[in-house]
Amino acid sequence: RGSPPPFAEMSAFLKFNLIIHVFAGVIGVICSYAVLMGLLKKKPNFAFLKAVSLASVLGYAVSALSGKYYEEIYYEAVVKPVIEAGKYPWAHGALFEAKEAAFVPIPILALLVALAIWFWEKRLEDNEKLKKEIALLSMTAVILGTFVALTGMFVSGAANG
């Protein structure tokens, strides 16, 4: 089986931070998907949409902050060199950088969707085209968020051999 990669021991706080990063991002994606499905209904439940759109923004924000902290404190110094010296050195350059670039618009999309739901409720009820355009923004966040999660798993796999 081989020995595990020579990682410096991660503190309990960093482990917790990494778990929060992953779970908050997944919650953001789930909430964006709930918004998408809610907007596709003939009569959307705007109380529900307001709650889940806000939860998506918070999920992505927490994921971004905790992920950046993990990257700066641990990933750059410990994980990245292991990946670059391992069997899949391209995993950092290709996947990690793509993951970061794909994440950038997600919180912005979620915020735009939430603002539209919170401030344009009547417009969204009356304008099917606008409602579908806002749903498309939410769908884009779901697709990008899923890509980010999958590439994160691949990068983690590359670090582990």
Side-chain angles (χ1 to χ4, degrees), residues 25-125:
V26 169
I27 288 168
V29 173
I30 290 168
C31 290
S32 290
Y33 182 76
V35 168
L36 170 62
M37 293 295 104
L39 287 171
L40 294 177
K41 290 184 174 185
K42 196 161 195 77
K43 292 267 187 196
N45 177 341
F46 280 94
F48 172 76
L49 288 174
K50 286 177 180 179
V52 292
S53 67
L54 181 60
S56 73
V57 172
L58 292 174
Y60 294 132
V62 168
S63 183
L65 293 172
S66 57
K68 193 62 178 169
Y69 181 81
Y70 168 79
E71 178 187 355
E72 293 296 322
I73 299 300
Y74 190 78
Y75 180 88
E76 286 290 328
V78 179
V79 179
K80 180 181 170 184
V82 171
I83 293 172
E84 289 176 334
K87 291 191 281 187
Y88 309 105
W90 53 268
H92 171 78
L95 294 179
F96 189 82
E97 298 301 333
K99 175 176 115 51
E100 278 198 335
F103 183 82
V104 170
I106 298 173
I108 298 165
L109 291 168
L111 180 60
L112 291 172
V113 168
L115 290 171
I117 289 168
W118 279 79
F119 295 107
W120 289 352
E121 181 177 340
K122 183 70 175 140
R123 289 182 191 172
L124 291 168
E125 286 174 341

Side-chain angles (χ1 to χ4, degrees), residues 22 27 38 44 55 76 84 92 103-104 114 133-134 144 147 151-152 154:
V22 172
I27 288 168
E76 286 290 328
E84 289 176 334
H92 171 78
F103 183 82
V104 170
E133 289 168 347
I134 300 301
L144 288 174
F147 170 78
T151 55
F154 286 122

Side-chain angles (χ1 to χ4, degrees), residues 5 7 18 70 75 79 83 91 150-161:
F7 290 131
L18 185 57
Y70 168 79
Y75 180 88
V79 179
I83 293 172
L150 292 174
T151 55
M153 290 180 350
F154 286 122
V155 169
S156 294
N160 291 315

